[in-house]
Amino acid sequence: MPGRLLRGLWQRWRRYKYRFVPWIALNLSHNPRTLRYVPEESKDKVISDEDVLGALLKVFQALFLNDFNKQSEILTVLPESVKSKYQDLLAVEHQWVKLLENRHQQQSIFKPEEILYKTLGFSVAQATSSLISAGKGVFVTKGLVPKGAVVSMYPGTVYQKYEPIFFQSIGNPFIFRCLDGVLIDGNNKGISKVVYRSCNGRDRLGPLKMSDSTWLTSEIHNPLAVGQYVNNCSNDRAANVCYQEFDVPAVFPIELKQYLPNIAYCYDKQSPLRCVVLVALRDIKQGEELFSNYYTIVS
């Protein structure tokens, strides 16, 4: 009996350690491939914030158009100029015209992962990792991810350094720490799930959702929201993506916030919402698993 218990604990640890920050930190010196040196926090950018914003808007806008028949309540509160913009975009593409002609259909023509492929030229999804006992991982399921592309997002509740996260952190391998100490809890179970849903409901403005909660379920509306399952690289598996922090600007279209997989623990009008995206360090082919590196700051 004790032997079985120990074997069970050992197997859980082997899966957990790839996301356990202290273990990763202690093993950085033994694995130089996991290091990414940056001289200053402000220079920790593989691509510009403008490029990140452009990629997200491109995907989110395509998702919005694909789901256009379900956006009627949102459209009623948007300015006429915004509504006419989407109507014009729908008229440009033949498939969107076809969608307008079949308003009785309740389902989208394309699945979210298909929209991602049509928009950015690739799709990603979670599956069993190629690392032994690492649990889940994220793979390129279709197309080619070009170097510098935003390949996924790290979903979850965003905590400032001074906000309580003790109980949510117990046994939780999905807490990401940003360079400035901000934490993102990407766990879709237990207390973490309850907290995210609560904050999501709190910030909703009538029909306007300020964040996406579908990443907590098996039916994900934002196909990029799988970044919490990306495993750390190893000596045998070099990193092909890296984390990059992104603060959502005030000009972000309110109708597209429904696809943002992050929500602030405490609502603050003065502080922009922190998101973390994963950016491709090289071209990544179909069938490859994503592996991230954890950076260290060199003064």
Side-chain angles (χ1 to χ4, degrees), residues 242-258:
C242 66
Y243 297 103
Q244 180 167 318
E245 297 167 19
F246 172 72
D247 290 337
V248 179
V251 296
F252 197 90
I254 194 168
E255 70 275 10
L256 299 183
K257 288 187 176 181
Q258 62 180 294

Side-chain angles (χ1 to χ4, degrees), residues 33-49:
R33 284 189 172 186
T34 65
L35 298 176
R36 178 160 61 90
Y37 294 97
V38 291
E40 300 174 18
E41 290 184 19
S42 61
K43 294 182 180 179
D44 185 36
K45 304 284 183 182
V46 177
I47 59 176
S48 68
D49 285 343

Side-chain angles (χ1 to χ4, degrees), residues 46-243:
V46 177
I47 59 176
S48 68
D49 285 343
E50 291 74 19
D51 288 339
V52 174
L53 177 61
L56 296 183
L57 289 180
K58 190 175 182 179
V59 174
F60 292 0
Q61 190 175 83
L63 290 170
F64 186 87
L65 291 172
N66 187 60
D67 230 10
F68 198 74
N69 280 345
K70 299 179 182 178
Q71 308 291 351
S72 56
E73 289 187 357
I74 294 177
L75 291 170
T76 60
V77 299
L78 295 179
E80 286 298 325
S81 59
V82 177
K83 285 191 283 187
S84 62
K85 178 189 74 171
Y86 286 114
Q87 293 287 356
D88 292 342
L89 288 171
L90 281 172
V92 170
E93 299 291 339
H94 176 71
Q95 62 263 36
W96 304 126
V97 174
K98 195 173 182 180
L99 176 63
L100 286 173
E101 293 173 349
N102 294 277
R103 289 183 177 275
H104 64 278
Q105 288 184 305
Q106 295 300 310
Q107 293 183 343
S108 302
I109 289 180
F110 300 109
K111 295 179 180 180
E113 57 269 24
E114 294 173 329
I115 293 296
L116 180 60
Y117 175 72
K118 288 176 178 292
T119 306
L120 297 185
F122 63 85
S123 59
V124 294
Q126 56 173 294
T128 302
S129 176
S130 59
L131 290 174
I132 299 174
S133 302
K136 294 181 180 179
V138 178
F139 293 80
V140 179
T141 55
K142 191 176 182 181
L144 173 73
V145 180
K147 180 181 179 180
V150 174
V151 67
S152 64
M153 302 181 70
Y154 199 101
T157 306
V158 181
Y159 293 82
Q160 299 300 318
K161 291 184 289 186
Y162 50 83
E163 292 174 340
I165 194 175
F166 174 76
F167 290 107
Q168 299 92 308
S169 68
I170 298 175
N172 185 352
F174 296 107
I175 294 180
F176 181 91
R177 186 183 186 279
C178 298
L179 290 171
D180 58 1
V182 170
L183 301 173
I184 300 179
D185 181 5
N187 194 357
N188 64 350
K189 298 178 182 178
I191 299 177
S192 300
K193 181 177 182 178
V194 173
V195 169
Y196 188 94
R197 285 194 181 279
S198 176
C199 295
N200 178 260
R202 174 201 65 198
D203 289 358
R204 181 167 180 164
L205 300 174
L208 295 170
K209 298 178 182 178
M210 296 296 104
S211 66
D212 172 35
S213 61
T214 63
W215 67 271
L216 298 169
T217 71
S218 58
E219 300 293 329
I220 299 177
H221 289 180
N222 176 1
L224 292 172
V226 293
Q228 76 275 35
Y229 295 116
V230 175
N231 285 302
N232 186 38
C233 63
S234 65
N235 285 324
D236 299 326
R237 310 290 178 89
N240 50 22
V241 298
C242 66
Y243 297 103

